Amino acid sequence: MEITIKHQMEYTNHPFDVVDPNKLTSIEVRMICTEMNVQAVLVNGKYYECK
């Protein structure tokens, strides 16, 4: 499933393919954080940190 995350500071939209947007895997979280150059993301009300 494709999700789109909006960067809060740059206001750019980033599309990502994930298996379940309600429960991201650690690999998906790392991929998203790396591409967006952030330390954490908020997806569907859930906070995910890159570790």
Side-chain angles (χ1 to χ4, degrees):
M1 170 179 250
E2 183 173 282
I3 60 171
T4 301
I5 301 174
K6 186 174 208 171
H7 196 288
Q8 284 185 319
M9 298 188 70
E10 298 172 2
Y11 300 107
T12 54
N13 289 319
H14 300 266
F16 298 99
D17 287 319
V18 297
V19 175
D20 181 4
N22 295 314
K23 187 177 179 186
L24 298 180
T25 65
S26 59
I27 294 168
E28 291 170 335
V29 172
R30 278 195 304 263
M31 175 191 64
I32 292 168
C33 288
T34 300
E35 186 168 320
M36 293 183 69
N37 196 28
V38 296
Q39 294 297 314
V41 291
L42 187 64
V43 178
N44 290 345
K46 292 186 181 176
Y47 180 80
Y48 297 93
E49 262 189 283
C50 291
K51 295 183 181 187

mmCIF file of all heavy atoms in Angstrom:
data_model
loop_
_atom_site.group_PDB
_atom_site.id
_atom_site.type_symbol
_atom_site.label_atom_id
_atom_site.label_comp_id
_atom_site.label_asym_id
_atom_site.label_seq_id
_atom_site.Cartn_x
_atom_site.Cartn_y
_atom_site.Cartn_z
ATOM 1 N N MET A 1 0.843 -1.172 0.000
ATOM 2 C CA MET A 1 0.000 0.000 0.000
ATOM 3 C C MET A 1 0.891 1.238 0.000
ATOM 4 O O MET A 1 1.919 1.256 0.655
ATOM 5 C CB MET A 1 -0.910 -0.024 1.227
ATOM 6 C CG MET A 1 -1.660 1.259 1.446
ATOM 7 S SD MET A 1 -2.718 1.165 2.864
ATOM 8 C CE MET A 1 -4.265 1.175 2.006
ATOM 9 N N GLU A 2 0.490 2.241 -0.723
ATOM 10 C CA GLU A 2 1.294 3.464 -0.779
ATOM 11 C C GLU A 2 0.760 4.490 0.219
ATOM 12 O O GLU A 2 -0.454 4.687 0.322
ATOM 13 C CB GLU A 2 1.269 4.057 -2.181
ATOM 14 C CG GLU A 2 2.159 5.291 -2.282
ATOM 15 C CD GLU A 2 2.289 5.802 -3.693
ATOM 16 O OE1 GLU A 2 3.055 5.203 -4.452
ATOM 17 O OE2 GLU A 2 1.611 6.784 -4.020
ATOM 18 N N ILE A 3 1.685 5.101 0.955
ATOM 19 C CA ILE A 3 1.334 6.192 1.863
ATOM 20 C C ILE A 3 2.129 7.416 1.439
ATOM 21 O O ILE A 3 3.170 7.302 0.788
ATOM 22 C CB ILE A 3 1.631 5.847 3.338
ATOM 23 C CG1 ILE A 3 3.128 5.558 3.555
ATOM 24 C CG2 ILE A 3 0.778 4.696 3.807
ATOM 25 C CD1 ILE A 3 3.522 5.424 5.012
ATOM 26 N N THR A 4 1.634 8.583 1.792
ATOM 27 C CA THR A 4 2.343 9.831 1.518
ATOM 28 C C THR A 4 2.544 10.550 2.839
ATOM 29 O O THR A 4 1.600 10.753 3.600
ATOM 30 C CB THR A 4 1.541 10.715 0.554
ATOM 31 O OG1 THR A 4 1.331 9.994 -0.654
ATOM 32 C CG2 THR A 4 2.292 11.999 0.239
ATOM 33 N N ILE A 5 3.798 10.937 3.099
ATOM 34 C CA ILE A 5 4.140 11.644 4.330
ATOM 35 C C ILE A 5 4.605 13.036 3.952
ATOM 36 O O ILE A 5 5.443 13.197 3.058
ATOM 37 C CB ILE A 5 5.247 10.907 5.108
ATOM 38 C CG1 ILE A 5 4.788 9.495 5.445
ATOM 39 C CG2 ILE A 5 5.604 11.677 6.377
ATOM 40 C CD1 ILE A 5 5.860 8.638 6.073
ATOM 41 N N LYS A 6 4.074 14.046 4.641
ATOM 42 C CA LYS A 6 4.452 15.429 4.375
ATOM 43 C C LYS A 6 5.516 15.862 5.383
ATOM 44 O O LYS A 6 5.316 15.716 6.592
ATOM 45 C CB LYS A 6 3.239 16.345 4.475
ATOM 46 C CG LYS A 6 3.517 17.763 4.068
ATOM 47 C CD LYS A 6 2.240 18.567 4.060
ATOM 48 C CE LYS A 6 2.346 19.680 3.062
ATOM 49 N NZ LYS A 6 1.073 20.343 2.871
ATOM 50 N N HIS A 7 6.633 16.359 4.891
ATOM 51 C CA HIS A 7 7.719 16.848 5.743
ATOM 52 C C HIS A 7 7.258 18.136 6.412
ATOM 53 O O HIS A 7 6.816 19.064 5.735
ATOM 54 C CB HIS A 7 8.968 17.090 4.889
ATOM 55 C CG HIS A 7 10.218 17.220 5.686
ATOM 56 N ND1 HIS A 7 10.488 18.323 6.451
ATOM 57 C CD2 HIS A 7 11.271 16.379 5.836
ATOM 58 C CE1 HIS A 7 11.663 18.165 7.025
ATOM 59 N NE2 HIS A 7 12.151 16.981 6.678
ATOM 60 N N GLN A 8 7.353 18.231 7.726
ATOM 61 C CA GLN A 8 6.819 19.378 8.457
ATOM 62 C C GLN A 8 7.583 20.669 8.212
ATOM 63 O O GLN A 8 7.009 21.745 8.285
ATOM 64 C CB GLN A 8 6.808 19.098 9.959
ATOM 65 C CG GLN A 8 5.695 18.181 10.368
ATOM 66 C CD GLN A 8 5.638 18.027 11.866
ATOM 67 O OE1 GLN A 8 6.664 17.915 12.537
ATOM 68 N NE2 GLN A 8 4.439 18.031 12.401
ATOM 69 N N MET A 9 8.861 20.590 7.942
ATOM 70 C CA MET A 9 9.641 21.810 7.770
ATOM 71 C C MET A 9 9.783 22.215 6.306
ATOM 72 O O MET A 9 9.792 23.393 5.990
ATOM 73 C CB MET A 9 11.016 21.650 8.419
ATOM 74 C CG MET A 9 10.895 21.430 9.916
ATOM 75 S SD MET A 9 12.436 21.455 10.780
ATOM 76 C CE MET A 9 12.880 23.150 10.655
ATOM 77 N N GLU A 10 9.904 21.232 5.424
ATOM 78 C CA GLU A 10 10.103 21.527 4.006
ATOM 79 C C GLU A 10 8.793 21.547 3.223
ATOM 80 O O GLU A 10 8.760 22.002 2.089
ATOM 81 C CB GLU A 10 11.044 20.485 3.390
ATOM 82 C CG GLU A 10 12.424 20.484 3.997
ATOM 83 C CD GLU A 10 13.271 19.328 3.510
ATOM 84 O OE1 GLU A 10 12.804 18.531 2.668
ATOM 85 O OE2 GLU A 10 14.412 19.215 3.981
ATOM 86 N N TYR A 11 7.728 21.038 3.819
ATOM 87 C CA TYR A 11 6.405 20.950 3.187
ATOM 88 C C TYR A 11 6.428 20.176 1.869
ATOM 89 O O TYR A 11 5.670 20.464 0.958
ATOM 90 C CB TYR A 11 5.807 22.350 2.967
ATOM 91 C CG TYR A 11 5.635 23.103 4.265
ATOM 92 C CD1 TYR A 11 6.476 24.157 4.581
ATOM 93 C CD2 TYR A 11 4.658 22.734 5.183
ATOM 94 C CE1 TYR A 11 6.341 24.837 5.785
ATOM 95 C CE2 TYR A 11 4.514 23.412 6.381
ATOM 96 C CZ TYR A 11 5.362 24.464 6.677
ATOM 97 O OH TYR A 11 5.224 25.135 7.867
ATOM 98 N N THR A 12 7.295 19.177 1.792
ATOM 99 C CA THR A 12 7.355 18.318 0.608
ATOM 100 C C THR A 12 6.642 17.006 0.919
ATOM 101 O O THR A 12 6.648 16.532 2.056
ATOM 102 C CB THR A 12 8.815 18.030 0.215
ATOM 103 O OG1 THR A 12 9.511 17.500 1.357
ATOM 104 C CG2 THR A 12 9.525 19.287 -0.260
ATOM 105 N N ASN A 13 6.038 16.420 -0.092
ATOM 106 C CA ASN A 13 5.349 15.138 0.060
ATOM 107 C C ASN A 13 6.254 14.010 -0.409
ATOM 108 O O ASN A 13 6.904 14.127 -1.447
ATOM 109 C CB ASN A 13 4.057 15.130 -0.754
ATOM 110 C CG ASN A 13 3.016 16.038 -0.150
ATOM 111 O OD1 ASN A 13 2.858 16.092 1.059
ATOM 112 N ND2 ASN A 13 2.304 16.757 -0.989
ATOM 113 N N HIS A 14 6.290 12.924 0.364
ATOM 114 C CA HIS A 14 7.128 11.775 0.062
ATOM 115 C C HIS A 14 6.267 10.515 0.028
ATOM 116 O O HIS A 14 5.728 10.117 1.060
ATOM 117 C CB HIS A 14 8.225 11.606 1.123
ATOM 118 C CG HIS A 14 9.136 12.777 1.234
ATOM 119 N ND1 HIS A 14 10.315 12.851 0.548
ATOM 120 C CD2 HIS A 14 9.033 13.924 1.935
ATOM 121 C CE1 HIS A 14 10.906 13.982 0.835
ATOM 122 N NE2 HIS A 14 10.143 14.662 1.677
ATOM 123 N N PRO A 15 6.132 9.883 -1.134
ATOM 124 C CA PRO A 15 5.354 8.633 -1.207
ATOM 125 C C PRO A 15 6.232 7.424 -0.849
ATOM 126 O O PRO A 15 7.415 7.387 -1.188
ATOM 127 C CB PRO A 15 4.920 8.570 -2.664
ATOM 128 C CG PRO A 15 5.979 9.306 -3.400
ATOM 129 C CD PRO A 15 6.491 10.365 -2.467
ATOM 130 N N PHE A 16 5.643 6.459 -0.153
ATOM 131 C CA PHE A 16 6.354 5.241 0.238
ATOM 132 C C PHE A 16 5.434 4.043 0.086
ATOM 133 O O PHE A 16 4.238 4.144 0.361
ATOM 134 C CB PHE A 16 6.817 5.309 1.698
ATOM 135 C CG PHE A 16 7.784 6.421 1.979
ATOM 136 C CD1 PHE A 16 7.355 7.601 2.538
ATOM 137 C CD2 PHE A 16 9.117 6.279 1.665
ATOM 138 C CE1 PHE A 16 8.237 8.626 2.796
ATOM 139 C CE2 PHE A 16 10.011 7.310 1.912
ATOM 140 C CZ PHE A 16 9.566 8.484 2.480
ATOM 141 N N ASP A 17 5.998 2.918 -0.324
ATOM 142 C CA ASP A 17 5.266 1.660 -0.363
ATOM 143 C C ASP A 17 5.531 0.908 0.932
ATOM 144 O O ASP A 17 6.691 0.653 1.271
ATOM 145 C CB ASP A 17 5.703 0.806 -1.555
ATOM 146 C CG ASP A 17 5.180 1.349 -2.868
ATOM 147 O OD1 ASP A 17 4.014 1.775 -2.899
ATOM 148 O OD2 ASP A 17 5.933 1.354 -3.847
ATOM 149 N N VAL A 18 4.475 0.586 1.664
ATOM 150 C CA VAL A 18 4.583 -0.153 2.919
ATOM 151 C C VAL A 18 3.580 -1.300 2.909
ATOM 152 O O VAL A 18 2.598 -1.261 2.178
ATOM 153 C CB VAL A 18 4.353 0.753 4.147
ATOM 154 C CG1 VAL A 18 5.415 1.828 4.239
ATOM 155 C CG2 VAL A 18 2.973 1.373 4.126
ATOM 156 N N VAL A 19 3.824 -2.287 3.731
ATOM 157 C CA VAL A 19 2.925 -3.437 3.810
ATOM 158 C C VAL A 19 1.642 -3.051 4.550
ATOM 159 O O VAL A 19 0.543 -3.266 4.061
ATOM 160 C CB VAL A 19 3.619 -4.630 4.505
ATOM 161 C CG1 VAL A 19 2.647 -5.778 4.693
ATOM 162 C CG2 VAL A 19 4.825 -5.073 3.697
ATOM 163 N N ASP A 20 1.778 -2.481 5.743
ATOM 164 C CA ASP A 20 0.627 -2.095 6.560
ATOM 165 C C ASP A 20 0.895 -0.717 7.159
ATOM 166 O O ASP A 20 1.753 -0.574 8.035
ATOM 167 C CB ASP A 20 0.406 -3.115 7.676
ATOM 168 C CG ASP A 20 -0.785 -2.805 8.564
ATOM 169 O OD1 ASP A 20 -1.516 -1.824 8.295
ATOM 170 O OD2 ASP A 20 -0.998 -3.564 9.526
ATOM 171 N N PRO A 21 0.190 0.329 6.718
ATOM 172 C CA PRO A 21 0.458 1.677 7.224
ATOM 173 C C PRO A 21 0.130 1.854 8.705
ATOM 174 O O PRO A 21 0.576 2.816 9.326
ATOM 175 C CB PRO A 21 -0.421 2.571 6.355
ATOM 176 C CG PRO A 21 -1.451 1.693 5.788
ATOM 177 C CD PRO A 21 -0.856 0.315 5.715
ATOM 178 N N ASN A 22 -0.609 0.926 9.287
ATOM 179 C CA ASN A 22 -0.939 1.012 10.712
ATOM 180 C C ASN A 22 0.097 0.340 11.601
ATOM 181 O O ASN A 22 0.039 0.460 12.819
ATOM 182 C CB ASN A 22 -2.311 0.401 10.967
ATOM 183 C CG ASN A 22 -3.408 1.190 10.298
ATOM 184 O OD1 ASN A 22 -3.440 2.412 10.378
ATOM 185 N ND2 ASN A 22 -4.281 0.506 9.600
ATOM 186 N N LYS A 23 1.049 -0.362 10.983
ATOM 187 C CA LYS A 23 2.097 -1.037 11.755
ATOM 188 C C LYS A 23 3.340 -1.159 10.874
ATOM 189 O O LYS A 23 3.541 -2.160 10.200
ATOM 190 C CB LYS A 23 1.622 -2.419 12.208
ATOM 191 C CG LYS A 23 2.579 -3.089 13.150
ATOM 192 C CD LYS A 23 2.034 -4.410 13.624
ATOM 193 C CE LYS A 23 3.049 -5.054 14.555
ATOM 194 N NZ LYS A 23 2.654 -6.393 14.936
ATOM 195 N N LEU A 24 4.180 -0.121 10.892
ATOM 196 C CA LEU A 24 5.386 -0.119 10.064
ATOM 197 C C LEU A 24 6.450 -1.032 10.663
ATOM 198 O O LEU A 24 6.585 -1.125 11.881
ATOM 199 C CB LEU A 24 5.946 1.294 9.947
ATOM 200 C CG LEU A 24 5.052 2.344 9.293
ATOM 201 C CD1 LEU A 24 5.767 3.687 9.272
ATOM 202 C CD2 LEU A 24 4.637 1.939 7.905
ATOM 203 N N THR A 25 7.204 -1.673 9.799
ATOM 204 C CA THR A 25 8.321 -2.496 10.259
ATOM 205 C C THR A 25 9.525 -1.591 10.509
ATOM 206 O O THR A 25 9.570 -0.448 10.039
ATOM 207 C CB THR A 25 8.690 -3.558 9.212
ATOM 208 O OG1 THR A 25 9.180 -2.891 8.044
ATOM 209 C CG2 THR A 25 7.504 -4.428 8.852
ATOM 210 N N SER A 26 10.508 -2.095 11.221
ATOM 211 C CA SER A 26 11.705 -1.301 11.496
ATOM 212 C C SER A 26 12.456 -0.967 10.207
ATOM 213 O O SER A 26 13.034 0.117 10.086
ATOM 214 C CB SER A 26 12.623 -2.017 12.488
ATOM 215 O OG SER A 26 13.009 -3.272 11.971
ATOM 216 N N ILE A 27 12.416 -1.863 9.238
ATOM 217 C CA ILE A 27 13.068 -1.608 7.952
ATOM 218 C C ILE A 27 12.354 -0.470 7.220
ATOM 219 O O ILE A 27 13.006 0.419 6.658
ATOM 220 C CB ILE A 27 13.087 -2.885 7.092
ATOM 221 C CG1 ILE A 27 13.985 -3.938 7.750
ATOM 222 C CG2 ILE A 27 13.547 -2.589 5.669
ATOM 223 C CD1 ILE A 27 13.863 -5.314 7.151
ATOM 224 N N GLU A 28 11.041 -0.479 7.239
ATOM 225 C CA GLU A 28 10.271 0.593 6.596
ATOM 226 C C GLU A 28 10.542 1.930 7.270
ATOM 227 O O GLU A 28 10.716 2.950 6.599
ATOM 228 C CB GLU A 28 8.772 0.278 6.631
ATOM 229 C CG GLU A 28 8.382 -0.884 5.745
ATOM 230 C CD GLU A 28 6.962 -1.360 5.950
ATOM 231 O OE1 GLU A 28 6.382 -1.154 7.045
ATOM 232 O OE2 GLU A 28 6.421 -1.973 5.017
ATOM 233 N N VAL A 29 10.601 1.932 8.596
ATOM 234 C CA VAL A 29 10.857 3.168 9.340
ATOM 235 C C VAL A 29 12.236 3.713 8.989
ATOM 236 O O VAL A 29 12.390 4.914 8.730
ATOM 237 C CB VAL A 29 10.725 2.942 10.861
ATOM 238 C CG1 VAL A 29 11.180 4.169 11.636
ATOM 239 C CG2 VAL A 29 9.296 2.573 11.220
ATOM 240 N N ARG A 30 13.261 2.848 8.950
ATOM 241 C CA ARG A 30 14.612 3.298 8.590
ATOM 242 C C ARG A 30 14.654 3.853 7.178
ATOM 243 O O ARG A 30 15.292 4.877 6.915
ATOM 244 C CB ARG A 30 15.615 2.156 8.741
ATOM 245 C CG ARG A 30 16.087 1.961 10.161
ATOM 246 C CD ARG A 30 17.326 1.080 10.218
ATOM 247 N NE ARG A 30 17.126 -0.211 9.582
ATOM 248 C CZ ARG A 30 16.804 -1.331 10.206
ATOM 249 N NH1 ARG A 30 16.662 -1.325 11.505
ATOM 250 N NH2 ARG A 30 16.634 -2.450 9.549
ATOM 251 N N MET A 31 13.968 3.196 6.236
ATOM 252 C CA MET A 31 13.926 3.647 4.852
ATOM 253 C C MET A 31 13.289 5.038 4.762
ATOM 254 O O MET A 31 13.808 5.933 4.101
ATOM 255 C CB MET A 31 13.147 2.659 4.001
ATOM 256 C CG MET A 31 12.951 3.098 2.572
ATOM 257 S SD MET A 31 11.772 2.080 1.663
ATOM 258 C CE MET A 31 10.264 2.405 2.555
ATOM 259 N N ILE A 32 12.168 5.217 5.451
ATOM 260 C CA ILE A 32 11.467 6.499 5.431
ATOM 261 C C ILE A 32 12.329 7.594 6.059
ATOM 262 O O ILE A 32 12.484 8.672 5.488
ATOM 263 C CB ILE A 32 10.107 6.386 6.154
ATOM 264 C CG1 ILE A 32 9.168 5.492 5.348
ATOM 265 C CG2 ILE A 32 9.489 7.755 6.395
ATOM 266 C CD1 ILE A 32 7.902 5.078 6.079
ATOM 267 N N CYS A 33 12.900 7.327 7.216
ATOM 268 C CA CYS A 33 13.730 8.321 7.897
ATOM 269 C C CYS A 33 14.953 8.697 7.066
ATOM 270 O O CYS A 33 15.318 9.871 6.987
ATOM 271 C CB CYS A 33 14.169 7.803 9.264
ATOM 272 S SG CYS A 33 12.845 7.750 10.482
ATOM 273 N N THR A 34 15.564 7.717 6.427
ATOM 274 C CA THR A 34 16.739 7.989 5.603
ATOM 275 C C THR A 34 16.379 8.850 4.407
ATOM 276 O O THR A 34 17.060 9.842 4.130
ATOM 277 C CB THR A 34 17.367 6.660 5.123
ATOM 278 O OG1 THR A 34 17.744 5.896 6.265
ATOM 279 C CG2 THR A 34 18.580 6.920 4.254
ATOM 280 N N GLU A 35 15.311 8.496 3.716
ATOM 281 C CA GLU A 35 14.925 9.262 2.526
ATOM 282 C C GLU A 35 14.478 10.678 2.868
ATOM 283 O O GLU A 35 14.758 11.619 2.144
ATOM 284 C CB GLU A 35 13.822 8.546 1.752
ATOM 285 C CG GLU A 35 13.516 9.256 0.448
ATOM 286 C CD GLU A 35 12.651 8.443 -0.481
ATOM 287 O OE1 GLU A 35 12.864 7.222 -0.579
ATOM 288 O OE2 GLU A 35 11.767 9.033 -1.097
ATOM 289 N N MET A 36 13.789 10.834 3.998
ATOM 290 C CA MET A 36 13.298 12.159 4.380
ATOM 291 C C MET A 36 14.317 12.949 5.189
ATOM 292 O O MET A 36 14.113 14.129 5.461
ATOM 293 C CB MET A 36 12.000 12.019 5.179
ATOM 294 C CG MET A 36 10.848 11.497 4.358
ATOM 295 S SD MET A 36 9.305 11.416 5.269
ATOM 296 C CE MET A 36 8.948 13.160 5.469
ATOM 297 N N ASN A 37 15.405 12.298 5.603
ATOM 298 C CA ASN A 37 16.452 12.913 6.424
ATOM 299 C C ASN A 37 15.877 13.433 7.748
ATOM 300 O O ASN A 37 16.047 14.589 8.116
ATOM 301 C CB ASN A 37 17.166 14.024 5.659
ATOM 302 C CG ASN A 37 18.466 14.406 6.314
ATOM 303 O OD1 ASN A 37 19.101 13.598 6.977
ATOM 304 N ND2 ASN A 37 18.876 15.642 6.149
ATOM 305 N N VAL A 38 15.160 12.534 8.449
ATOM 306 C CA VAL A 38 14.567 12.857 9.743
ATOM 307 C C VAL A 38 14.923 11.769 10.750
ATOM 308 O O VAL A 38 15.406 10.707 10.381
ATOM 309 C CB VAL A 38 13.021 13.000 9.642
ATOM 310 C CG1 VAL A 38 12.646 14.173 8.760
ATOM 311 C CG2 VAL A 38 12.366 11.724 9.136
ATOM 312 N N GLN A 39 14.661 12.032 12.020
ATOM 313 C CA GLN A 39 14.946 11.066 13.083
ATOM 314 C C GLN A 39 13.710 10.284 13.513
ATOM 315 O O GLN A 39 13.821 9.243 14.144
ATOM 316 C CB GLN A 39 15.532 11.783 14.306
ATOM 317 C CG GLN A 39 16.894 12.383 14.027
ATOM 318 C CD GLN A 39 17.916 11.308 13.696
ATOM 319 O OE1 GLN A 39 18.002 10.299 14.380
ATOM 320 N NE2 GLN A 39 18.667 11.517 12.645
ATOM 321 N N ALA A 40 12.522 10.809 13.184
ATOM 322 C CA ALA A 40 11.278 10.154 13.586
ATOM 323 C C ALA A 40 10.158 10.553 12.627
ATOM 324 O O ALA A 40 10.239 11.582 11.957
ATOM 325 C CB ALA A 40 10.909 10.540 15.011
ATOM 326 N N VAL A 41 9.112 9.716 12.573
ATOM 327 C CA VAL A 41 7.947 10.015 11.735
ATOM 328 C C VAL A 41 6.673 9.703 12.510
ATOM 329 O O VAL A 41 6.667 8.870 13.417
ATOM 330 C CB VAL A 41 7.961 9.210 10.411
ATOM 331 C CG1 VAL A 41 9.064 9.677 9.511
ATOM 332 C CG2 VAL A 41 8.048 7.731 10.635
ATOM 333 N N LEU A 42 5.611 10.386 12.128
ATOM 334 C CA LEU A 42 4.295 10.145 12.692
ATOM 335 C C LEU A 42 3.407 9.661 11.554
ATOM 336 O O LEU A 42 3.196 10.379 10.577
ATOM 337 C CB LEU A 42 3.734 11.436 13.285
ATOM 338 C CG LEU A 42 2.438 11.338 14.061
ATOM 339 C CD1 LEU A 42 2.636 10.486 15.311
ATOM 340 C CD2 LEU A 42 1.945 12.715 14.440
ATOM 341 N N VAL A 43 2.924 8.414 11.660
ATOM 342 C CA VAL A 43 2.107 7.813 10.611
ATOM 343 C C VAL A 43 0.834 7.275 11.247
ATOM 344 O O VAL A 43 0.895 6.450 12.162
ATOM 345 C CB VAL A 43 2.867 6.671 9.891
ATOM 346 C CG1 VAL A 43 1.988 6.018 8.844
ATOM 347 C CG2 VAL A 43 4.156 7.183 9.269
ATOM 348 N N ASN A 44 -0.293 7.755 10.773
ATOM 349 C CA ASN A 44 -1.604 7.337 11.297
ATOM 350 C C ASN A 44 -1.672 7.447 12.818
ATOM 351 O O ASN A 44 -2.192 6.562 13.503
ATOM 352 C CB ASN A 44 -1.948 5.923 10.851
ATOM 353 C CG ASN A 44 -2.249 5.839 9.377
ATOM 354 O OD1 ASN A 44 -2.474 6.846 8.734
ATOM 355 N ND2 ASN A 44 -2.232 4.645 8.831
ATOM 356 N N GLY A 45 -1.115 8.519 13.359
ATOM 357 C CA GLY A 45 -1.171 8.760 14.791
ATOM 358 C C GLY A 45 -0.179 7.970 15.619
ATOM 359 O O GLY A 45 -0.191 8.052 16.835
ATOM 360 N N LYS A 46 0.704 7.210 14.983
ATOM 361 C CA LYS A 46 1.717 6.436 15.697
ATOM 362 C C LYS A 46 3.097 7.044 15.457
ATOM 363 O O LYS A 46 3.453 7.378 14.333
ATOM 364 C CB LYS A 46 1.715 4.971 15.256
ATOM 365 C CG LYS A 46 0.462 4.243 15.679
ATOM 366 C CD LYS A 46 0.557 2.788 15.349
ATOM 367 C CE LYS A 46 -0.731 2.089 15.759
ATOM 368 N NZ LYS A 46 -0.720 0.694 15.385
ATOM 369 N N TYR A 47 3.860 7.159 16.519
ATOM 370 C CA TYR A 47 5.193 7.747 16.493
ATOM 371 C C TYR A 47 6.235 6.645 16.308
ATOM 372 O O TYR A 47 6.234 5.668 17.063
ATOM 373 C CB TYR A 47 5.431 8.489 17.815
ATOM 374 C CG TYR A 47 6.771 9.149 17.929
ATOM 375 C CD1 TYR A 47 7.013 10.369 17.316
ATOM 376 C CD2 TYR A 47 7.791 8.561 18.664
ATOM 377 C CE1 TYR A 47 8.251 10.985 17.442
ATOM 378 C CE2 TYR A 47 9.020 9.164 18.802
ATOM 379 C CZ TYR A 47 9.238 10.391 18.172
ATOM 380 O OH TYR A 47 10.454 10.995 18.301
ATOM 381 N N TYR A 48 7.103 6.820 15.311
ATOM 382 C CA TYR A 48 8.165 5.851 15.035
ATOM 383 C C TYR A 48 9.504 6.582 15.032
ATOM 384 O O TYR A 48 9.642 7.614 14.380
ATOM 385 C CB TYR A 48 7.984 5.195 13.666
ATOM 386 C CG TYR A 48 6.725 4.377 13.516
ATOM 387 C CD1 TYR A 48 5.580 4.950 12.992
ATOM 388 C CD2 TYR A 48 6.698 3.048 13.893
ATOM 389 C CE1 TYR A 48 4.420 4.186 12.837
ATOM 390 C CE2 TYR A 48 5.544 2.284 13.747
ATOM 391 C CZ TYR A 48 4.409 2.862 13.216
ATOM 392 O OH TYR A 48 3.270 2.122 13.064
ATOM 393 N N GLU A 49 10.478 6.060 15.770
ATOM 394 C CA GLU A 49 11.825 6.620 15.809
ATOM 395 C C GLU A 49 12.792 5.733 15.079
ATOM 396 O O GLU A 49 12.691 4.515 15.135
ATOM 397 C CB GLU A 49 12.302 6.732 17.274
ATOM 398 C CG GLU A 49 12.142 8.078 17.874
ATOM 399 C CD GLU A 49 12.826 8.139 19.216
ATOM 400 O OE1 GLU A 49 12.260 7.618 20.173
ATOM 401 O OE2 GLU A 49 13.930 8.701 19.278
ATOM 402 N N CYS A 50 13.741 6.355 14.393
ATOM 403 C CA CYS A 50 14.810 5.590 13.744
ATOM 404 C C CYS A 50 15.808 5.189 14.821
ATOM 405 O O CYS A 50 16.224 6.014 15.620
ATOM 406 C CB CYS A 50 15.511 6.424 12.682
ATOM 407 S SG CYS A 50 14.461 6.723 11.280
ATOM 408 N N LYS A 51 16.167 3.931 14.815
ATOM 409 C CA LYS A 51 17.120 3.451 15.836
ATOM 410 C C LYS A 51 18.275 2.764 15.169
ATOM 411 O O LYS A 51 18.239 2.339 14.088
ATOM 412 C CB LYS A 51 16.432 2.504 16.796
ATOM 413 C CG LYS A 51 15.382 3.218 17.587
ATOM 414 C CD LYS A 51 14.753 2.283 18.592
ATOM 415 C CE LYS A 51 13.678 3.066 19.349
ATOM 416 N NZ LYS A 51 13.120 2.383 20.423
#
